[in-house]
Amino acid sequence: MNSSVTPGSGPITIRRAVARDAKRLTRLVRGSRAYEGQYAAMVAAYRVGPDYIETHRVFVAVADDEHESRVLGFYSLVLAPPELDLMFVADGAQGRGIGRLLVTHMKAEARAAGLDHVRVVSHPPAEGFYRSVGAVRTGTAAANPPAVVWDRPELEFLVPPDPAREAGEILEGSPRVPTGPGLGGTA
């Protein structure tokens, strides 16, 4: 599923990540201002490798400029159990609707995969964002030293079924109703 929108400056496309994106995604994670200070140790050695990209549903939001494609953000959806494992928006791209676009895309991917919910264990400062795009707080994930030394909010996105798809399934399973003159099934 590719999406393309134009918030702010130039078109933004969401596409499936490929192995050659790994270094750029790793730089985005490690360079995130959201993980400065007390959170820095968590991402200092973090790596989004080609193997991770091939194993999970990783999607990137890119802006295609004249000479290059800039990664503005990305997310990773794990199907079993359903979880938004990673989501980052480049510091310079925040406030432009990229995160909201990524969440909308993630929900569509989850729906297409037949999921009805997606769990998120959030970075504490990101909880407000997730709530603003529809996630509901479900609990707290306890600290897990030495990797994570603070409790984290646990949230969930509900993924309603596609109404058009459900209507099609209902219609396909329904008996034919005669229509038209003489009720013979033709109009």
Side-chain angles (χ1 to χ4, degrees):
M1 167 185 232
N2 277 358
S3 297
S4 184
V5 297
T6 309
S9 61
I12 296 168
T13 303
I14 296 180
R15 63 163 173 79
R16 188 81 184 244
V18 294
R20 71 177 177 272
D21 292 319
K23 287 182 182 179
R24 292 195 291 179
L25 300 184
T26 296
R27 279 194 304 268
L28 198 156
V29 170
R30 290 181 183 173
S32 174
R33 284 195 315 248
Y35 282 87
E36 290 179 335
Q38 67 177 335
Y39 304 113
M42 185 178 172
V43 297
Y46 199 89
R47 180 177 168 265
V48 180
D51 52 337
Y52 182 88
I53 290 170
E54 290 173 14
T55 303
H56 301 293
R57 293 186 181 206
V58 181
F59 290 86
V60 295
V62 295
D64 292 321
D65 292 338
E66 229 176 274
H67 303 290
E68 67 176 328
S69 180
R70 289 182 301 127
V71 172
L72 302 175
F74 77 99
Y75 76 87
S76 172
L77 176 63
V78 175
L79 298 182
E83 184 170 358
L84 178 61
D85 187 42
L86 296 171
M87 183 169 155
F88 283 83
V89 174
D91 294 336
Q94 291 184 11
R96 293 178 45 201
I98 307 301
R100 188 171 298 276
L101 181 65
L102 288 168
V103 167
T104 299
H105 190 275
M106 180 275 301
K107 286 177 165 180
E109 283 294 316
R111 183 178 301 111
L115 303 177
D116 62 0
H117 71 282
V118 175
R119 176 179 182 243
V120 180
V121 177
S122 176
H123 178 51
E127 180 181 5
F129 165 75
Y130 286 118
R131 286 179 158 207
S132 78
V133 292
V136 176
R137 177 89 185 245
T138 58
T140 301
N144 185 19
V148 181
V149 295
W150 60 88
D151 291 343
R152 292 157 297 151
E154 189 171 340
L155 303 106
E156 182 176 75
F157 285 105
L158 296 178
V159 181
D162 181 2
R165 183 175 180 187
E166 283 216 335
E169 289 171 2
I170 291 169
L171 290 175
E172 287 174 15
S174 300
R176 289 213 177 259
V177 176
T179 59
L183 303 178
T186 59

